Amino acid sequence: MTNKKGGNRRTLVAIIVEVMEEQELNSSDIPKQKGHLTVRGTGHFSCRKCDNKWSSHMAWIGINLKKQCPGKRWLQYCAECGDSSSPIFSVKELHSMVQYAVSRCLKIMAGDYKYAVERPAEGKRQPPHRMDLCEMCRQRGYGCWLPRKPALPPNEE
């Protein structure tokens, strides 16, 4: 799969390798459970059925730094016909996303990364997209733009 917007798997693999080398991160140093990260960026979508086009700043991709390869691209669904579409990212955007993933991986490995769990007050901001049209929102059960839900405390019996 090749396109000028950076959808080519080889392009992403090359970016992952380049950024990891720049940051002196060796895949062999990454614990297996810490090497797969999900990051968001600005993606472009094009519906194959009705030719509708849209962009989203909440387009998601998995990046496996341990294996130095891309992972899942979360789909969005066309508001016109409901067909699914995979995000396409520019090369510049992919580079930025990989840099963020590597930086986050290094912080996680050092024990310095704190997952955001504070949730904004209801009604303070408009959702960036309809949750029913976003695979990530559907999977999480809440808006993909929100920090992860806090873990429930264990039952004190």
Side-chain angles (χ1 to χ4, degrees):
M1 172 174 113
T2 302
N3 73 48
K4 64 183 178 184
K5 292 209 177 243
N8 186 331
R9 179 180 171 87
R10 285 179 291 184
T11 300
L12 183 51
V13 170
I15 292 170
I16 293 168
V17 170
E18 174 189 330
V19 172
M20 288 179 68
E21 286 175 359
E22 287 171 359
Q23 296 295 318
E24 298 179 4
L25 177 60
N26 295 315
S27 60
S28 61
D29 296 336
I30 303 171
K32 187 176 181 181
Q33 67 277 15
K34 299 188 186 317
H36 191 275
L37 296 135
T38 302
V39 294
R40 69 176 170 88
T42 300
H44 306 280
F45 299 84
S46 180
C47 181
R48 294 174 304 241
K49 274 191 181 176
C50 71
D51 208 30
N52 186 28
K53 294 178 182 6
W54 69 99
S55 296
S56 174
H57 296 295
M58 295 288 165
W60 296 87
I61 187 171
I63 298 174
N64 190 327
L65 298 175
K66 180 76 176 167
K67 294 182 179 178
Q68 296 184 318
C69 67
K72 177 177 177 51
R73 289 179 189 235
W74 275 264
L75 305 172
Q76 287 192 10
Y77 299 88
C78 178
E80 301 295 321
C81 73
D83 196 33
S84 64
S85 179
S86 184
I88 300 298
F89 302 96
S90 70
V91 172
K92 181 179 177 182
E93 187 71 7
L94 285 172
H95 200 274
S96 176
M97 293 166 76
V98 172
Q99 284 179 319
Y100 179 75
V102 168
S103 172
R104 195 167 87 195
C105 182
L106 289 168
K107 288 178 182 177
I108 291 169
M109 288 170 49
D112 294 335
Y113 187 78
K114 304 285 187 255
Y115 289 96
V117 293
E118 188 174 312
R119 305 182 70 71
E122 292 297 320
K124 278 200 167 185
R125 65 190 288 207
Q126 186 79 9
H129 59 246
R130 287 177 36 195
M131 290 175 46
D132 63 314
L133 298 178
C134 172
E135 184 182 21
M136 178 65 86
C137 290
R138 290 178 178 183
Q139 180 179 322
R140 292 174 83 178
Y142 59 95
C144 69
W145 60 91
L146 296 170
R148 55 170 52 186
K149 287 186 175 181
L152 297 173
N155 289 339
E156 297 176 12
E157 294 180 17

